[in-house]
Amino acid sequence: IQEEVLSIRRQLGGDEDYYTLQAEHRLAITLHDSGEYASAKVLKLHVLDCCERKYGDQDEVTDNAMDSLATTLWKLGDLHEVGHLQEDILRNRRKRLGDNHSSTREAMKTLIYTKLELGEQEEAKAIQLLLVRSMVGKFVKKLRRPSDEASL
């Protein structure tokens, strides 16, 4: 059924239509979930390519497509490419959302895990430090009272 939906969406909106991309992504997730990682990778690569062209490489939709592709590449054992994608995701989220955003911190945690799996301990430590600093900054900001800000 999902293949039929994708075919209809392509006829109605074209390859880069938002709803076509959603349908293609849903089919890719179904393939991933059924263990057909190579087929899922092909579709997810196409979705990512379309998202980058349509929305740019720093858009949230593009980030989500990168994250989904990274999940499939992890299953295929391509940890180096996973690391590159996760670095891009983190860079984009830091720029778009800042270090204190929960999505940015989640990207940091995911990249730390990947770096450790790749044996890149120093890189993982540097990201851990960044994560801790962002969390401390968040708590300090919450603890400040309005009168504290006026005296700065």
Side-chain angles (χ1 to χ4, degrees), residues 75-88:
K75 288 290 191 176
L76 289 168
D78 192 354
L79 298 186
H80 289 284
E81 186 59 28
V82 170
H84 293 306
L85 286 169
Q86 290 174 344
E87 288 170 352
D88 289 345

Side-chain angles (χ1 to χ4, degrees), residues 139-152:
F139 292 121
V140 167
K141 193 173 185 178
K142 281 185 175 184
L143 292 174
R144 281 194 177 143
R145 297 179 302 234
S147 60
D148 293 340
E149 304 230 349
S151 65
L152 296 177

Side-chain angles (χ1 to χ4, degrees), residues 37-124:
Y37 305 121
S39 297
K41 175 185 172 182
V42 170
L43 290 179
K44 289 181 178 188
L45 280 167
H46 182 257
V47 169
L48 176 58
D49 183 52
C50 290
C51 287
E52 286 176 333
R53 276 196 311 273
K54 183 169 183 165
Y55 302 108
D57 62 351
Q58 295 182 17
D59 189 85
E60 180 180 5
V61 173
T62 306
D63 273 0
N64 291 338
M66 278 192 261
D67 191 47
S68 183
L69 175 59
T71 302
T72 297
L73 293 174
W74 183 278
K75 288 290 191 176
L76 289 168
D78 192 354
L79 298 186
H80 289 284
E81 186 59 28
V82 170
H84 293 306
L85 286 169
Q86 290 174 344
E87 288 170 352
D88 289 345
I89 292 166
L90 178 56
R91 186 173 24 263
N92 293 345
R93 289 183 183 172
R94 289 183 75 196
K95 184 181 264 186
R96 193 175 67 249
L97 304 170
D99 285 351
N100 294 334
H101 194 277
S102 60
S103 292
T104 305
R105 287 194 307 273
E106 191 60 38
M108 289 178 196
K109 289 186 250 180
T110 304
L111 183 55
I112 290 166
Y113 182 77
T114 300
K115 292 292 185 182
L116 290 172
E117 285 294 311
L118 288 167
E120 299 174 3
Q121 282 76 20
E122 291 305 313
E123 291 89 342

